[in-house]
Amino acid sequence: MQVTRYNAKDTSVVVNDVYITGLGEDMISVEKEEDLASNKVGAQGDIVRSEINNTIYTITVTVQSTSPQLGYLLNLKDSTDFFPLWVINKSLGVRAGGAKAMVSSIPEISLGAEAEDIEVAFTVYDGDVIAS
């Protein structure tokens, strides 16, 4: 039986060479925009697998409202230049992101009786998930 260790503290988020701290409870999600391929089955059962060459990913970074980098992340919404974004977990050997990212949506910010987490979504145009 194999037992594998996971610790959320082993995860780093680096946006344009700035380490993001104060991550929220959900921390990070990485999602590819499309499947890797689509399948088409002919009338006689022949199958064609068409590869989809879309490298766009959405990476959502959740930070606490007290994160020291919250202002930095919010200001990136005005950037017209691409910047690198990488999510790294060394203990799992996983790295996700790319060199051409931009903020894709302005996050909802709620101010009330409790401090709520804030989600910043990025589009990564040359995205990849790499396992070592």
Side-chain angles (χ1 to χ4, degrees):
M1 173 175 80
Q2 181 179 349
V3 177
T4 304
R5 178 187 159 281
Y6 171 78
N7 186 333
K9 290 183 178 183
D10 292 338
T11 302
S12 297
V13 179
V14 185
V15 179
N16 203 20
D17 297 325
V18 174
Y19 280 81
I20 307 303
T21 61
L23 296 174
E25 186 175 359
D26 291 334
M27 286 181 45
I28 301 135
S29 69
V30 178
E31 184 177 0
K32 190 168 183 338
E33 188 171 274
E34 290 185 276
D35 292 335
L36 297 172
S38 65
N39 300 310
K40 184 72 172 179
V41 180
Q44 296 179 331
D46 297 320
I47 301 169
V48 176
R49 178 180 164 94
S50 297
E51 294 178 2
I52 299 173
N53 296 309
N54 184 343
T55 59
I56 298 175
Y57 280 73
T58 298
I59 296 181
T60 303
V61 178
T62 304
V63 295
Q64 294 176 316
S65 59
T66 56
S67 169
Q69 292 78 34
L70 176 59
Y72 175 75
L73 293 174
L74 293 176
N75 287 336
L76 284 174
K77 71 180 174 19
D78 298 323
S79 177
T80 57
D81 296 323
F82 293 117
F83 49 83
L85 184 154
W86 289 100
V87 175
I88 305 156
N89 186 292
K90 290 184 180 180
S91 64
L92 296 178
V94 175
R95 182 177 172 183
K100 294 183 178 179
M102 296 185 95
V103 173
S104 59
S105 63
I106 298 171
E108 175 184 343
I109 298 174
S110 297
L111 303 173
E114 293 183 1
E116 294 188 22
D117 289 348
I118 297 169
E119 294 182 349
V120 182
F122 298 89
T123 300
V124 182
Y125 294 94
D126 61 342
D128 200 1
V129 175
I130 303 162
S132 57

